[in-house]
Amino acid sequence: MTIKKTSPKIFFLIVSSSVVFLMLYAVLLYYINKTEKDAYRNSVELFESKINQLLLLESKPILTALKNDTNWDEFVDFTITKNQSWYDETISNELEIYGADYLGVYDKNKKFITRTPTPVIKTVDFIPKQAMEVLDKKGVAKFYIKIPEGIVEVTGATIHPSDDPFKKKTKVSGYFFAVRLINSKFLINLEKITSSNIKIIGDNEAVAEQRHMVSSVFPLKNSRGKLIGRLLFERKFDVYFENTTRILYVIIAVFLLYLGVSIYYTRKLVYRPLFLVRKALQKGSKSAIAELKKSSGEFSYIGNLFEENNNQKIDLIKAKIKAEEGDLLKASFLANLSHEIRTPMNAINGFTELILNTELNEKERIEYLNVIQQNGKNLVSIIDDLIEMSKIDANQIAPNFTEINLESCIDELYKTIKVTIPPSKPLKFKLIKSSIPAANNIVTDEIKLKQVIINLLTNAIKYTDEGMVRFKYEIDELQNLIHFAIQDTGLGIEEGQHQHVFDRFKRVENDKSIIVGGLGLGLSISKAYIEILGGSIRLESKIGEGSSFYFSIPLKYAKDEPVEVKSIREKELTKSENKVILIAEDDNINFLLFQKMMKDKAYQIIRAVNGQEAVDICSHNAAIDLVLMDIKMPVLNGFEAIEQIRVFRPQLPVIAQTAYSSSEDKVKIEQAGFDDYITKPLSRERLFELMDKY
């Protein structure tokens, strides 16, 4: 019997296996190289997209400020009168606000009027008329110009009266430009924003592709669209595979030396893990990484490293994006905050100065005082929103649940808001009540619920010029919820802005919001209140069709128990024909204001400069008919003072006067035993209403 030799077969098996495995490694190497190229190409596309987004976001504050200033009646007058002192006091001071190196103004004939430069720009008049002709068509535009100092970024807008925010109804009164020199300072700031290296290159200069660097070229075009230069953005590209390629060559060498005795183990312990490595590198596959972690030896460690690296990369990217967006949004918010505070302050200071330093007739004086009063109210509203948002951020807001009649509460809100709609406004305001009435009183925070509804309805009315605003609610006893809906036929909100509607540092910007003004914190506060009450809110809106806000709060019925009737504290009978009023106020200006407000009334006024003095006067003077008690005073504050007064004069009417205006402060005042309260700034009508009542 002849025994066939198995060596040729083994040799054939070794050779064929070697060829197969060499081909597999060749394919793996090809895929690694292809993966590296795909990763590079995707990184370049992502980098270019992010650069364009950041440049657009970086220029938005300038565009916003420019639109505001160029829709200013006084600016229109300046283009005619060319009053340099007005320009120096008002516009010239805004150089830092714009972050610009040069501000320039031209009249409607495109002739240079004046400028405000920094030392880096010495050229006086360099804006071409062709650029102003472009502005005649667009209203607002950004382009680039070459001047002796270098290339400058020019943002320009036409000047129109305040009643022409779209710059279409009236003729151009002039042109206003904010210019930034593209120098080292400009580039360093841009590098921080984009996290890249930037340099200026020529029109035809080629950009070489680098393996470990991604780049993006931003064209600098003049007003005619002609290229005058380019900005080259470069960032390190950290995804490359040299080490992996070297490891592959080592594995191939080891495989050729030990193939005969380790075919099985090679396939089990080398090929499969390497396939998973490729999959993890190419696609970031979580299943591949999990399988790698289960492998033995070094590949398990590599799987752990991949998982840790992927998690760190994701966390870093999210943190970086969030930090960059947060910084930009906060900067934009602070710029808007500065503008919104300065706008009413400018009106208050300006018209006060006019009243003090100019001769006015009675009609003009009343008109100026009304302007001052309205802007003062706007300023107080802004401050109240900021304080409330700060309390929310500091977790100082807690719900004060009480028993309320839902139908009565809604009817009261509907009637109150309806009378605020001007009769001349072509707007219908409709209330749709629940098809299932509430079975009993409900338990919720009445003040916060009312504030949310008022905020949403006020916004709907404010942004709806004509059409309808619907306010409806529905009792859902199956889910134990109360559903509310505020719908309008107003301007609507772009879908891309829906996610930012409730953000405190980002305001939906459009021409209407610029006209209306404000910080845009109302929706943020409303969302926070709703969440405090245990509910949720959402938005549906389309441009040109209107907006619908839907929110729900828990439905909790009050227990059907006998209501505890609290004893009503009877007020003291009037003891004097002319009332004696004790004003507990430590601030001289506030006390003087009380005196001036009540000078036409036949009241005898007594003053206490601190809480202890107020207690002493009430204890020794039985003729006191009414006390106006300031909350924040030295020695004893208002809460401590009323606690002592109630011991010996429990029926004496005491009204709190306070600068605290939040719902929590009002509840605290009521619980302290005050008969009523009046908030600062003082309202003369509210003061006399309370005095007549008590």
Side-chain angles (χ1 to χ4, degrees):
M1 181 177 179
T2 304
I3 300 175
K4 294 183 179 180
K5 295 182 179 180
T6 58
S7 298
K9 294 182 179 180
I10 295 174
F11 178 78
F12 175 77
L13 179 62
I14 293 174
V15 172
S16 61
S17 300
S18 300
V19 171
V20 170
F21 275 91
L22 287 172
M23 291 177 63
L24 288 173
Y25 281 117
V27 170
L28 182 60
L29 184 62
Y30 166 79
Y31 271 104
I32 289 175
N33 291 331
K34 185 176 182 298
T35 300
E36 182 177 0
K37 291 179 181 178
D38 291 343
Y40 180 84
R41 184 174 62 254
N42 292 336
S43 297
V44 169
E45 293 175 355
L46 181 62
F47 183 57
E48 290 179 345
S49 174
K50 185 60 66 176
I51 290 298
N52 290 330
Q53 292 176 8
L54 290 173
L55 289 176
L56 179 63
L57 193 59
E58 190 269 343
S59 62
K60 183 166 285 187
I62 295 180
L63 289 171
T64 301
L66 201 68
K67 288 179 180 178
N68 289 338
D69 282 345
T70 54
N71 278 101
W72 195 356
D73 294 334
E74 293 183 6
F75 210 163
V76 173
D77 295 338
F78 169 74
T79 61
I80 301 172
T81 63
K82 299 177 176 57
N83 185 350
Q84 188 64 35
S85 62
W86 177 89
Y87 174 85
D88 292 338
E89 293 175 1
T90 308
I91 302 301
S92 181
N93 294 330
E94 295 187 350
L95 194 64
E96 186 175 348
I97 295 176
Y98 280 92
D101 300 307
Y102 176 99
L103 298 177
V105 185
Y106 290 73
D107 63 17
K108 64 182 180 180
N109 297 319
K110 302 179 177 59
K111 292 183 179 180
F112 175 77
I113 298 177
T114 186
R115 63 168 186 148
T116 303
T118 61
V120 299
I121 296 183
K122 302 185 183 300
T123 307
V124 177
D125 177 12
F126 52 84
I127 306 296
K129 290 186 177 180
Q130 295 86 345
M132 300 182 208
E133 293 172 354
V134 172
L135 288 180
D136 289 338
K137 299 177 181 179
K138 295 183 176 181
V140 180
K142 185 173 78 171
F143 48 89
Y144 299 85
I145 300 175
K146 276 187 178 180
I147 63 174
E149 290 82 358
I151 297 177
V152 293
E153 178 196 74
V154 181
T155 307
T158 54
I159 301 172
H160 294 266
S162 59
D163 61 353
D164 186 14
F166 299 104
K167 303 182 183 295
K168 294 180 179 180
K169 296 193 303 183
T170 59
K171 293 183 178 180
V172 175
S173 300
Y175 306 84
F176 182 46
F177 298 92
V179 180
R180 296 191 293 181
L181 178 63
I182 302 180
N183 54 11
S184 59
K185 179 181 177 182
F186 180 93
L187 295 180
I188 290 172
N189 180 59
L190 207 54
E191 286 177 347
K192 290 180 180 178
I193 296 174
T194 59
S195 300
S196 59
N197 296 321
I198 307 173
K199 60 182 178 180
I200 302 175
I201 60 176
D203 303 355
N204 301 317
E205 184 176 344
V207 179
E209 183 176 305
Q210 303 179 56
R211 186 178 183 186
H212 303 323
M213 192 78 69
V214 291
S215 61
S216 174
V217 176
F218 183 81
L220 305 177
K221 297 181 180 181
N222 62 16
S223 59
R224 293 183 173 182
K226 181 179 179 183
L227 190 67
I228 63 172
R230 297 181 295 171
L231 290 180
L232 174 62
F233 295 80
E234 293 182 329
R235 182 186 292 175
K236 287 186 177 181
F237 177 69
D238 296 323
V239 182
Y240 26 81
F241 303 85
E242 289 91 339
N243 293 333
T244 305
T245 305
R246 294 191 187 100
I247 291 173
L248 283 176
Y249 286 125
V250 172
I251 293 174
I252 292 173
V254 174
F255 169 76
L256 292 174
L257 292 174
Y258 299 101
L259 182 62
V261 291
S262 59
I263 290 177
Y264 172 77
Y265 293 102
T266 301
R267 289 181 60 86
K268 182 179 180 181
L269 302 176
V270 176
Y271 175 71
R272 180 59 181 173
L274 284 176
F275 170 78
L276 295 174
V277 169
R278 185 190 70 188
K279 194 173 180 180
L281 288 171
Q282 184 177 13
K283 300 181 179 180
S285 172
K286 292 183 179 180
S287 61
I289 294 174
E291 193 173 342
L292 269 175
K293 290 173 64 180
K294 295 177 181 178
S295 302
S296 60
E298 290 296 319
F299 286 108
S300 176
Y301 178 66
I302 291 174
N304 290 325
L305 290 178
F306 271 126
E307 184 177 55
E308 183 179 347
N309 184 59
N310 279 357
N311 292 337
Q312 289 178 349
K313 185 183 293 184
I314 292 171
D315 291 341
L316 286 173
I317 291 173
K318 288 181 179 179
K320 184 178 180 181
I321 292 174
K322 188 174 181 180
E324 290 175 350
E325 289 179 349
D327 289 342
L328 291 172
L329 291 176
K330 286 180 181 178
S332 176
F333 175 78
L334 290 174
N336 187 41
L337 170 61
S338 174
H339 176 267
E340 292 299 331
I341 290 178
R342 287 175 180 272
T343 298
M345 284 303 301
N346 179 60
I348 292 170
N349 292 338
F351 281 96
T352 301
E353 184 179 354
L354 287 174
I355 292 172
L356 293 174
N357 299 321
T358 58
E359 294 183 1
L360 305 172
N361 56 42
E362 184 64 17
K363 181 179 179 181
E364 291 175 326
R365 187 181 68 83
I366 293 175
E367 179 184 355
Y368 291 178
L369 289 174
N370 285 333
V371 171
I372 293 171
Q373 183 185 44
Q374 183 59 47
N375 280 272
K377 291 180 180 178
N378 293 343
L379 189 59
V380 170
S381 176
I382 291 171
I383 294 171
D384 285 344
D385 283 350
L386 287 173
I387 293 173
E388 196 68 11
M389 203 71 249
S390 299
K391 287 186 176 182
I392 291 171
D393 289 339
N395 294 322
Q396 294 182 356
I397 303 295
N400 179 39
F401 292 113
T402 58
E403 179 182 339
I404 69 168
N405 184 302
L406 182 62
E407 283 74 15
S408 298
C409 177
I410 297 299
D411 285 338
E412 178 187 348
L413 282 175
Y414 173 72
K415 293 175 182 177
T416 301
I417 294 175
K418 186 174 183 179
V419 298
T420 65
I421 303 175
S424 59
K425 191 170 187 176
L427 181 66
K428 294 182 179 179
F429 182 32
K430 187 175 182 181
L431 171 63
I432 303 175
K433 294 186 177 182
S434 174
S435 58
I436 303 174
N440 201 350
N441 288 347
I442 67 168
V443 176
T444 189
D445 188 321
E446 181 179 10
I447 294 176
K448 290 182 177 60
L449 176 61
K450 283 184 175 180
Q451 188 62 51
V452 170
I453 296 173
I454 289 171
N455 285 347
L456 295 176
L457 285 176
T458 302
N459 275 355
I461 293 169
K462 188 188 302 180
Y463 289 98
T464 305
D465 293 328
E466 60 181 357
M468 178 174 289
V469 172
R470 295 184 183 89
F471 172 33
K472 59 183 180 180
Y473 67 98
E474 187 69 33
I475 303 294
D476 185 352
E477 294 187 341
L478 292 177
Q479 301 185 51
N480 285 327
L481 292 172
I482 309 174
H483 303 293
F484 296 88
I486 287 85
Q487 302 169 311
D488 65 65
T489 58
L491 299 175
I493 302 172
E494 294 181 4
E495 186 174 353
Q497 297 286 352
H498 288 190
Q499 58 182 329
H500 302 304
V501 163
F502 300 106
D503 290 351
R504 63 198 61 180
F505 292 124
K506 187 169 181 65
R507 179 186 179 209
V508 177
E509 294 289 353
N510 53 45
D511 295 322
K512 185 71 174 179
S513 66
I514 293 173
I515 296 171
V516 171
L519 296 177
L521 291 177
L523 290 178
S524 301
I525 294 173
S526 298
K527 182 175 183 292
Y529 279 175
I530 291 170
E531 291 174 350
I532 288 172
L533 296 178
S536 61
I537 186 171
R538 63 185 177 90
L539 162 69
E540 293 180 4
S541 182
K542 289 185 179 180
I543 291 294
E545 296 182 12
S547 303
S548 298
F549 286 88
Y550 303 95
F551 73 92
S552 303
I553 62 172
L555 171 62
K556 183 178 180 182
Y557 284 120
K559 294 182 179 179
D560 192 9
E561 298 176 351
V563 179
E564 179 184 354
V565 180
K566 298 181 179 179
S567 59
I568 301 175
R569 180 169 49 81
E570 296 182 356
K571 305 294 184 292
E572 290 186 0
L573 296 175
T574 302
K575 293 177 284 301
S576 56
E577 184 177 349
N578 296 327
K579 285 190 176 182
V580 179
I581 311 296
L582 172 61
I583 299 177
E585 174 61 68
D586 62 314
D587 187 83
N588 293 331
I589 299 299
N590 284 337
F591 178 71
L592 177 61
L593 181 59
F594 274 114
Q595 285 184 311
K596 295 300 182 182
M597 284 183 172
M598 294 188 282
K599 69 177 183 178
D600 295 330
K601 301 288 185 178
Y603 298 147
Q604 179 184 347
I605 297 175
I606 301 174
R607 181 187 183 186
V609 297
N610 58 58
Q612 184 60 59
E613 188 175 338
V615 173
D616 294 340
I617 293 174
C618 289
S619 65
H620 294 94
N621 190 343
I624 300 295
D625 296 301
L626 177 66
V627 179
L628 294 172
M629 180 77 73
D630 189 16
I631 293 298
K632 188 176 181 181
M633 289 188 297
V635 186
L636 292 179
N637 61 36
F639 294 115
E640 296 167 335
I642 192 173
E643 184 178 359
Q644 296 188 24
I645 291 173
R646 286 294 180 230
V647 173
F648 55 86
R649 295 194 65 175
Q651 283 78 38
L652 177 62
V654 182
I655 298 173
Q657 40 140 334
T658 176
Y660 305 120
S661 59
S662 69
S663 57
E664 285 72 20
D665 295 321
K666 294 172 183 176
V667 171
K668 186 177 179 182
I669 288 171
E670 292 174 358
Q671 293 176 346
F674 287 96
D675 295 275
D676 218 316
Y677 67 91
I678 183 171
T679 58
K680 299 176 182 177
L682 297 173
S683 167
R684 191 167 182 265
E685 290 76 10
R686 172 65 174 166
L687 176 62
F688 289 154
E689 176 187 339
L690 290 174
M691 295 181 71
D692 291 340
K693 179 179 179 181
Y694 294 101

